[in-house]
Amino acid sequence: AALAPADVSAFACDAGMSEWRATALEWAVRVAPASVPRLASLGELYRAGAAGEDGKDGDDGATGAEALDAWGTSRETTLGCLCTRLPGRHPWEDSAGHLGTGIAATHFDDLELRVADALAALRLPASLVPAVMEVATLELVERAQPDTQDDWRALVAWVQALPQSRIEDYVATLTASGPLVPVGGSSHP
């Protein structure tokens, strides 16, 4: 559904967008509606859609059911725990400028969400996500080509352009040395 100009402020708040990005989104809705789908990340769309579902935010501002935190990123850098959490409603700019710390990576959940969505479309089990993420993350690092270590927009654009067929290729790699083997077969030749 199209975003109405009157709904931009609430959407931006629920998604965790900064004020300048909310302003850019409002301008795009009014002047260049075709560009609107590229202005929000998959993680922001998730957070906007999940806003208020459980009525509370987690320790780091994350929204949604605790069970969904398993789909998030490592929080060792930000919370000091060996756990995963979905990023909270914080603008991505909050993670910028901390080069070499891994903080930017903890605020980027688009690839996990894209892989989970693709596997669901293929009717494959969620237990394959970690193995598929190994391949997908390697390709993201090699091909996204961000201008800086915290060029969040380049990573988002790469994930937005990732075709379903490429994720199918990632799944196919799991048959060579991963968890997928023929029924009744063994994983050893």
Side-chain angles (χ1 to χ4, degrees):
L3 187 61
D7 298 331
V8 170
S9 180
F11 172 84
C13 180
D14 290 343
M17 291 181 160
S18 63
E19 288 182 41
W20 76 267
R21 288 193 56 234
T23 301
L25 180 62
E26 185 175 351
W27 177 88
V29 165
R30 294 179 192 278
V31 179
S35 70
V36 170
R38 293 186 312 273
L39 296 178
S41 72
L42 190 55
E44 289 170 333
L45 292 172
Y46 166 76
R47 284 184 286 287
E53 281 192 10
D54 65 1
K56 66 182 178 84
D57 283 350
D59 292 339
D60 65 348
T63 60
E66 286 181 14
L68 295 178
D69 279 337
W71 293 99
T73 56
S74 170
R75 290 301 159 167
E76 184 176 6
T77 302
T78 56
L79 297 177
C81 73
L82 296 174
C83 58
T84 59
R85 297 277 190 283
L86 285 172
R89 284 190 204 114
H90 305 289
W92 68 266
E93 297 91 344
D94 287 357
S95 65
H98 301 281
L99 303 180
T101 64
I103 289 178
T106 66
H107 286 88
F108 184 72
D109 57 347
D110 285 38
L111 189 57
E112 289 95 339
L113 293 170
R114 175 70 180 97
V115 166
D117 182 56
L119 292 183
L122 293 169
R123 301 182 66 165
L124 291 172
S127 61
L128 294 178
V129 170
V132 173
M133 280 299 297
E134 286 182 37
V135 181
T137 302
L138 178 61
E139 189 167 54
L140 171 75
V141 169
E142 290 177 347
R143 298 189 181 207
Q145 298 182 355
D147 292 331
T148 64
Q149 287 185 3
D150 54 4
D151 185 0
W152 176 84
R153 189 65 228 155
L155 301 178
V156 168
W158 188 86
V159 171
Q160 287 174 336
L162 185 63
Q164 179 75 7
S165 62
R166 193 66 191 139
I167 296 176
E168 291 169 8
D169 291 342
Y170 301 155
V171 172
T173 66
L174 304 183
T175 62
S177 62
L180 296 179
V181 294
V183 174
S186 84
S187 60
H188 302 293

